[in-house]
Amino acid sequence: MLNGEAFGQLFETFARTAFRLETLSVYSVEEEREEFERFLASGDMGPDWDDNPWVRSMTDKGKQVSRVHVLRSPLTDYLRYELAAYPGNITAGETIGIIDQAEQDVTDLPDHDFWLFDDQHVYRMHYTPEGAFIGAELLPAHRLAEYQGYRDRALAKAVTFADYWERHH
């Protein structure tokens, strides 16, 4: 299993596409703690989030970054924070879809996060019950088609972030 630093290097080495399915209501990321507290106090991400430099570092090289987030109502404070950051990710070139479980059946999708890189490598993400990242497990090649199917179903079910935001705010 890859730790945070080793897993992070994958974002420098993938060649074309990175897709993520997100399923948790809370992620506990120590590096975000101060920013999260500031968001809770103000309800705003601030100008630093107008164009996400991490996403931009990949999309400026012609790489495609996309995700689908499966949401559970009511939204947690963390999900409100994450959704507030998505416009900056989109400006930087990430494609983001939302599946609202109140509107879509997700029983044909996994109940865990994963990343699919270049349609060749699948990493299942592991977290503590509190949402802290434990590590990323490279799944065997024979599971690739299964996770490509999950990605395709998630993309087909998802609405764009803009459509979701318009309907719910």
Side-chain angles (χ1 to χ4, degrees):
M1 189 158 356
L2 296 177
N3 65 18
E5 184 177 327
F7 182 71
Q9 291 175 355
L10 294 172
F11 294 93
E12 297 172 21
T13 60
F14 80 92
R16 297 176 324 281
T17 61
F19 170 83
R20 180 175 185 178
L21 181 72
E22 287 184 301
T23 62
L24 300 181
S25 297
V26 175
Y27 293 88
S28 178
V29 182
E30 190 56 41
E31 296 83 16
E32 295 176 347
R33 184 83 44 224
E34 189 175 310
E35 186 176 82
F36 177 61
E37 295 297 326
R38 194 169 46 249
F39 171 80
L40 290 179
S42 70
D44 184 35
M45 291 302 291
D48 292 347
W49 275 95
D50 289 347
D51 188 327
N52 185 321
W54 181 73
V55 173
R56 178 72 61 192
S57 73
M58 294 175 279
T59 59
D60 277 354
K61 295 175 184 167
K63 298 178 181 185
Q64 296 176 354
V65 181
S66 62
R67 82 175 76 201
V68 170
H69 199 137
V70 178
L71 301 177
R72 292 173 177 83
S73 294
L75 294 180
T76 63
D77 286 343
Y78 187 86
L79 283 178
R80 290 186 312 102
Y81 161 76
E82 190 167 21
L83 292 178
Y86 283 171
N89 290 26
I90 292 166
T91 297
E94 183 175 3
T95 303
I96 299 176
I98 303 291
I99 298 174
D100 184 338
Q101 290 188 63
E103 300 168 2
Q104 289 281 344
D105 174 32
V106 296
T107 55
D108 60 344
L109 297 175
D111 64 353
H112 56 270
D113 290 22
F114 71 88
W115 278 96
L116 174 60
F117 294 100
D118 294 326
D119 266 339
Q120 296 178 9
H121 306 284
V122 178
Y123 287 85
R124 180 180 175 165
M125 309 300 285
H126 292 275
Y127 297 90
T128 67
E130 297 77 30
F133 179 65
I134 297 170
E137 171 191 8
L138 176 61
L139 297 182
H142 73 271
R143 303 221 33 213
L144 184 59
E146 172 188 1
Y147 278 81
Q148 289 168 331
Y150 290 148
R151 179 215 40 218
D152 295 347
R153 284 192 295 280
L155 289 169
K157 290 173 183 263
V159 299
T160 67
F161 173 76
D163 287 346
Y164 171 82
W165 196 252
E166 184 177 305
R167 285 200 324 252
H168 293 89
H169 290 90

